[in-house]
Amino acid sequence: MPGERIEDAMAAGSRQQAQGIGTIFTRLGENVTRAEEAEEVTQHYLGVLDKLQASGLDAQISVKPTQLGLDLDKGLCFRNLQRLVDRAAERRNFVWIDMESSPYVDPTIDLFRQTRAHSALVGIALQAYLYRTAQDIESLLPLGSAIRLVKGAYLEAPTIAYPRKADVDANFYALACRLLRPDAQQRGTLLHIATHDPKLIERLNAFIVAERVPQSAYEYAMLYGIQRALQARLARDGRRIRVLIAYGDYWFPWYMRRLAERPANVWFVVKNVFAR
Ligand SMILES: Cc1cc2nc3c(=O)[nH]c(=O)nc-3n(C[C@H](O)[C@H](O)[C@H](O)COP(=O)(O)OP(=O)(O)OC[C@H]3O[C@@H](n4cnc5c(N)ncnc54)[C@H](O)[C@@H]3O)c2cc1C
């Protein structure tokens, strides 16, 4: 994280923009328990969308449904998301919906479908570690959706998710290729290839070249501070890339929760501190 305040995050976003890298902002936090908290988060992001237009920064926002009140009331969460997407339309911006742990997948896809029915300025994250994702992608393809493909960050049971990393990687590749096929492109699909995995990126780049996939069909997406050299190289090579910057004062509980959920996450953090 470049800092706790949105101003810190925006300063980092400007530095990225100078390198040809776009930004996605997210304020840390999840599972709000009161409607007032969901309202505060919504107001915050509405303000961010205003600030982004005023600053001219090439930056989108990404929100967690449980930050907008999904645990409290689906209707409330939908209305809050709709307000963000409406503001994004006024400010010529775009809203991403993060995917949380498996019990939230169905309600999050419902939320996406409902919002997508009103506006194309919304995208959804899908997780390659879940067996169901191939089917979810087929069902979302007719909408011409913006899809951020990630490996998945939560600890899930082997009954619903691939337990072996090699299988997750293979599924990521297969799903990404599916989303880059001509029929997906014709429907207006936008794929965010959200990984720091150099081998996977290399394989997908080879597919993109071999299949002559147009630049408009995909972007790369990574996290702030991870694989900086690869981020810069992709930008220099003329690839479209966005880097997600998290900010906010909720980082300590958020980090501890990620560790508790999945101890392997600690290695991810440690590797990123040392592997610059
Ligand atoms: C933009 C973005 C948005 C995301 N949104 C969500 C979401 O909504 N829901 C969700 O569940 N998850 C989300 N994630 C997290 C994602 O699910 C993964 O947990 C996370 O990205 C780590 O997986 P990976 O694909 O980068 O590769 P990993 O399999 O963790 O790592 C692959 C390889 O990358 C290389 N690598 C990684 N870091 C470094 C480094 N610092 N230096 C050198 N090599 C390195 C190594 O070769 C490593 O073996 C998001 C990730 C990104 C990038």
Side-chain angles (χ1 to χ4, degrees):
M1 280 173 61
E4 290 190 358
R5 298 170 316 144
I6 179 66
E7 288 76 15
D8 303 323
M10 285 177 66
S14 298
R15 292 192 293 275
Q16 293 190 157
Q17 191 154 317
Q19 280 188 287
I21 296 174
T23 300
I24 303 170
F25 289 118
T26 194
R27 187 168 82 156
L28 294 176
E30 58 205 349
N31 297 105
V32 301
T33 52
R34 292 180 301 117
E36 299 75 45
E37 287 176 86
E39 177 60 25
E40 190 275 326
V41 172
T42 308
Q43 289 290 348
H44 170 79
Y45 279 123
L46 290 170
V48 170
L49 289 167
D50 293 345
K51 280 195 176 74
L52 291 179
Q53 193 190 35
S55 70
L57 204 59
D58 173 17
Q60 304 170 338
I61 62 167
S62 194
V63 297
K64 286 194 167 30
T66 67
Q67 267 187 316
L68 300 181
L70 183 62
D71 287 332
L72 301 169
D73 173 356
K74 262 179 91 169
L76 172 80
C77 180
F78 169 68
R79 289 191 298 279
N80 286 338
L81 180 63
Q82 191 57 54
R83 286 161 68 197
L84 295 182
V85 172
D86 288 346
R87 183 67 60 92
E90 287 164 28
R91 302 292 181 232
R92 282 183 245 110
N93 210 309
F94 191 89
V95 179
W96 286 97
I97 310 174
D98 288 354
M99 187 57 80
E100 301 176 74
S101 58
S102 53
Y104 295 112
V105 174
D106 276 323
T108 301
I109 290 177
D110 288 350
L111 201 60
F112 172 72
R113 280 185 181 283
Q114 260 182 295
T115 314
R116 182 67 184 74
H118 298 280
S119 171
L121 298 173
V122 62
I124 185 171
L126 295 176
Q127 298 154 325
Y129 63 12
L130 294 180
Y131 304 135
R132 61 173 286 171
T133 297
Q135 196 49 52
D136 290 334
I137 284 176
E138 290 308 322
S139 77
L140 291 174
L141 271 179
L143 300 180
S145 309
I147 293 180
R148 172 203 297 162
L149 189 62
V150 299
K151 288 188 187 173
Y154 300 84
L155 180 62
E156 301 290 359
T159 46
I160 60 166
Y162 293 101
R164 289 179 50 234
K165 178 171 159 40
D167 294 330
V168 179
D169 294 354
N171 199 39
F172 190 111
Y173 179 75
L175 297 176
C177 293
R178 173 68 192 96
L179 286 159
L180 293 171
R181 294 262 176 225
D183 65 321
Q185 285 171 37
Q186 279 149 21
R187 287 156 160 160
T189 303
L190 173 70
L191 170 63
H192 262 201
I193 303 171
T195 180
H196 313 94
D197 189 332
K199 283 194 198 121
L200 201 44
I201 289 174
E202 210 175 296
R203 283 186 74 200
L204 283 167
N205 280 346
F207 177 87
I208 284 164
V209 171
E211 300 296 320
R212 297 169 195 240
V213 179
Q215 292 251 9
S216 56
Y218 67 95
E219 291 185 2
Y220 293 91
M222 295 192 202
L223 303 178
Y224 183 77
I226 301 180
Q227 292 278 37
R228 281 178 194 266
L230 180 56
Q231 293 174 9
R233 181 160 60 77
L234 288 168
R236 268 198 315 275
D237 290 351
R239 308 272 184 180
R240 299 198 300 168
I241 169 165
R242 288 190 179 273
V243 167
L244 186 143
I245 297 180
Y247 61 94
D249 56 10
Y250 194 76
W251 62 270
F252 188 70
W254 181 85
Y255 176 66
M256 293 312 283
R257 193 165 156 172
R258 290 289 91 77
L259 288 190
E261 272 167 0
R262 192 162 176 244
N265 284 345
V266 79
W267 293 112
F268 188 69
V269 173
V270 168
K271 268 195 301 182
N272 293 323
V273 169
F274 294 105
R276 293 258 178 224

